[in-house]
């Protein structure tokens, strides 16, 4: 986007599309267009806050007081209970410089293994699946614009008309070019409305549905045997498993008519080029990684990978959802998408950090486990860039864990529901107020330039870490974004996500801010827009079929909880709502939570439009007005998760996680639905 001051509006800062930028070509969604309101929102934090004794109110404090207080609490807890009693919870919306520094701060200053982040709730299942299949996880291994040039798209569990509106143009163009779109979603969303074929499965049954499509490919001799032989491994086991999923069986499990399963498989396999794209609907499941691999298996069997206008991609979520998972704020990871258990990686990164490899901790716990152990062996937590009191699964449980901590520090721009529980709140700079880099869904590394002076009283997350590091006995922690990036680039050298040819200077000079696609291993390397054309990122260069189970891993409805809840997003709100609930026009467009339910289900429970409806699971309940709609399955209700209070969807969701990736099962829970009288 481009920021301009508008003279006709008292020189207010306005966000506008940037026509020359090759990804959004000038398009912005409602949230982008109104984002400058957040810079001077009345509830902006401009002073640190301290809760001096437990049970007292948050009071304003100076920066020195707040940093001294936090450092002394952290030191005391580490001294009494060990370094591993301190943890960090980061965010995929943070810049590279911040995410990388959080990882380094955990390992070098706190010397704790315990760091993870909200990306575990977002991209982890697709990331794990891509690594298993391709040896590399880069959201799209091709530029987004390639979408417009493929013949068929299988779009699974994505409502991108609401969640990524500027990307929709490429899907529209694809169909104008004669291509076909198949959408898999239990709801007939604005995205599904555009599809040539819409499959509407029971939530949580995607792996079986994907196996059913593969079954049809095998039964009707539509498998690209040449591609399978030349470029993949592991098909035999997957073939044997898929044979057990004939379309009528799939219909019984997934609720998708057998004829539609056959039709979708034929359309997908019959096209010359094709893509499978997934998002959170299929990924935020107790079998999320397996479900994604089941879809990837289908793409591989159809020969739709490893050549232009073909492939599998995950549609990334947060602003730095891709980059936030590459440089070490994940429990098991070091910069450059390296494994923290790999001795060579430890040695390289320890060298860059000036510590011995033995001093680096091992892997920590994935996000849900980290949050669940707060108040037990984790006694102090620093949160930056997330609001888990609203967005974590089984949120009442998570809030109780945060309350049980001896010390909670939160860096935020506003007093989020999580910051309200903190002992120290650090008011930090946000996007337009600081320079930093991010990597978009195509692996394109972008420089976001500082455009405005931050309000007096706030400092960058980098300054918070620097101030704490100094007080914890590690002076000289880098706080300048360009210097941090230069170090990140060196730390990433030789890794999967190799940024060593990049610098702020080079990104600043890139034509019209186009950015450069990783890997970019040398200052004169042009970047890598398309991966896998010659070989995949696995040791033998072949893409791997992954044999996965297909028994749905849902919490099955029963007499007491007869329906299914699935959750997701609306166009005008973002995530935990900490930001968008503070923007007037967005709040006017979507003022509160609701429960979407089919007329048949509404009739069964006696709900009329607008009635307050209580949705209850084994964890707890949420209440919100009924929105009756034929666009959803009659056995499923949907709630968006953007609100705190009685309408908080995550009071109902479950904290069961996918054993492969640590992704929580946000998208299926067994519930009871009642009108609140
Ligand atoms: N407006 C808006 N845009 C956003 C965000 C936001 O909060 N608001 N957040 C950003 C972030 S971080 C993310 S991760 C992305 C998420 O982007 P999306 O993944 O597009 O968003 P969701 O609404 O979470 O889920 C997509 C769809 O999954 C469907 N679904 C539910 N259960 C299942 C299932 O079992 N199988 C299948 N196949 N589909 C299912 C839901 O009905 C929903 O329509 O959006 C990004 N963009
Ligand atoms: N039921 C249900 N729950 C879900 C999901 C779902 O589909 N269903 N989706 C999940 C997904 S995909 C995601 S990504 C998570 C997201 O949920 P959260 O992690 O809660 O994401 P945000 O609401 O974006 O929180 C970001 C916080 O950081 C603050 N912030 C903004 N910029 C900065 C900065 O530069 N520095 C710092 N320190 N803070 C900053 C914002 O004000 C905000 O409070 O929710 C997950 N929860
Ligand atoms: Mo996300």
């Amino acid at each position: 986007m481009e920021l301009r001051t508008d003279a006709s509006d008292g020189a207010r800062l306005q966000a506008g599309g940037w026509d020359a930028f090759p990804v959004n070509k000038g398009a912005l969604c409602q949230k982008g267009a109104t984002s400058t309101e957040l810079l001077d929102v009345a509830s902006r934090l401009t002073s640190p806050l301290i809760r001096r004794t437990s049970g007292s109110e948050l009071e304003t404090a100076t920066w020195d007081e707040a940093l001294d207080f936090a450092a002394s609490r952290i030191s005391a807890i580490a001294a009494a209970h060990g370094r591993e009693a301190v943890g960090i919870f980061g965010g995929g919306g943070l810049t590279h410089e911040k995410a990388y520094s959080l990882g380094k701060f955990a390992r070098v200053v706190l010397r704790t293994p315990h760091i993870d982040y909200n990306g575990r709730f977002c991209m982890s299942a697709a990331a794990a699946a891509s690594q298993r299949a391709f040896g590399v996880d880069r959201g799209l291994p091709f530029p987004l614009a390639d979408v417009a040039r493929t013949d068929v798209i299988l779009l699974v569990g994505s409502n991108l008309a609401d969640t990524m509106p500027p990307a929709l143009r490429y899907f529209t163009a694809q169909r104008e070019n004669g291509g076909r779109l198949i959408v898999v979603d239990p709801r007939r969303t604005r995205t599904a409305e555009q599809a040539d074929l819409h499959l509407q499965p029971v939530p949580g049954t995607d792996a079986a549905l994907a196996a059913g499509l593969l079954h049809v490919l095998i039964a009707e001799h539509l498998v690209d045997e040449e591609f399978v032989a030349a470029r993949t491994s592991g098909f035999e086991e997957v073939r044997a498993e898929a044979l057990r999923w004939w379309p009528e069986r799939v219909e019984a499990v997934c609720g998708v008519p057998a004829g539609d399963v056959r039709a979708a498989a034929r359309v997908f396999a019959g096209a010359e080029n094709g893509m499978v794209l997934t998002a959170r609907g299929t990924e935020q499941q107790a079998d999320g990684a397996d479900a994604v691999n089941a879809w990837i298996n289908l793409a591989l069997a159809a020969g739709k990978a490893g050549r232009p206008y073909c492939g599998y991609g995950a549609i990334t979520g947060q602003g730095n959802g891709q980059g936030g998972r590459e440089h070490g704020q994940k429990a098991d990871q070091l910069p450059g998408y390296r494994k923290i258990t790999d001795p060579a990686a430890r040695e390289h990164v320890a060298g860059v950090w000036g510590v011995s490899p033995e001093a680096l901790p091992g892997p920590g716990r994935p996000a849900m486990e980290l949050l669940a152990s707060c108040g037990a062996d984790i006694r102090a937590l620093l949160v930056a860039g997330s609001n888990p009191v609203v967005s974590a699964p089984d949120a009442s449980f998570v809030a109780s864990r945060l309350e049980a901590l001896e010390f909670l520090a939160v860096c935020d721009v506003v007093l989020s529901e999580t910051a309200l529980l903190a002992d120290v709140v650090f008011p930090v700079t946000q996007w337009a107020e600081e320079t930093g880099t991010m990597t978009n869904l195509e692996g394109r590394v972008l420089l976001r330039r500082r455009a405005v002076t931050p309000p007096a009283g706030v400092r960058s997350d980098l300054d918070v870490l620097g101030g704490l590091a100094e007080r914890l006995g590690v002076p000289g922690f880098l706080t300048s974004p360009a210097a941090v990036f230069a170090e990140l680039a060196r730390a990433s050298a030789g890794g999967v996500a190799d940024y060593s040819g990049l610098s702020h200077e080079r990104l600043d000079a890139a034509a019209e801010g186009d950015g450069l696609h990783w890997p970019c291993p040398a200052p004169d390397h042009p970047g890598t827009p398309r991966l896998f054309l010659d070989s995949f990122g696995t040791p033998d260069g072949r893409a791997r079929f992954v044999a996965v189970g297909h028994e749905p891993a849902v919490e099955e409805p029963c007499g007491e909880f007869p329906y299914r809840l699935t959750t997701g997003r609306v166009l005008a709100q973002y995530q935990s709502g900490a930001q968008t609930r503070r923007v007037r026009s967005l709040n006017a467009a979507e003022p509160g939570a609701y429960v979407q339910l089919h007329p048949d289900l509404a009739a069964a429970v006696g709900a009329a439009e607008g009635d307050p409806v209580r949705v209850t699971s084994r964890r707890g309940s949420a209440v919100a007005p009924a929105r009756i709609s034929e666009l959803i399955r009659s056995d499923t209700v949907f709630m968006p998760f953007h609100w705190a209070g009685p309408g908080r969807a995550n009071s109902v969701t479950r904290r069961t996680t996918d054993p492969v990736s640590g992704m929580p099962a946000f998208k299926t829970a067994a519930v009871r639905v009642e009108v609140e009288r």
Side-chain angles (χ1 to χ4, degrees), residues 94 98 118 121-122 280 284 318 384-388 391 411-414 416 428-430 434 461 567-569 574-579 641 650 653 666-667:
L94 300 174
K98 295 180 177 191
N118 72 2
F121 299 164
C122 180
R280 303 309 84 76
Q284 291 175 325
Q318 302 174 85
S386 183
N387 184 15
S391 59
C411 298
D412 208 309
V413 298
V414 293
S416 70
V428 293
T429 48
Q430 54 177 322
E434 57 192 10
D461 293 274
T567 61
R569 293 162 167 80
Y574 185 69
Q575 315 276 62
S576 75
Q579 296 170 102
F641 77 98
N650 279 321
T653 54
F666 283 116
K667 293 271 194 279

Side-chain angles (χ1 to χ4, degrees), residues 61-73:
T62 67
W63 271 93
D64 276 335
E65 278 178 301
L67 288 166
D68 288 347
F69 183 67
S72 71
R73 297 295 291 121

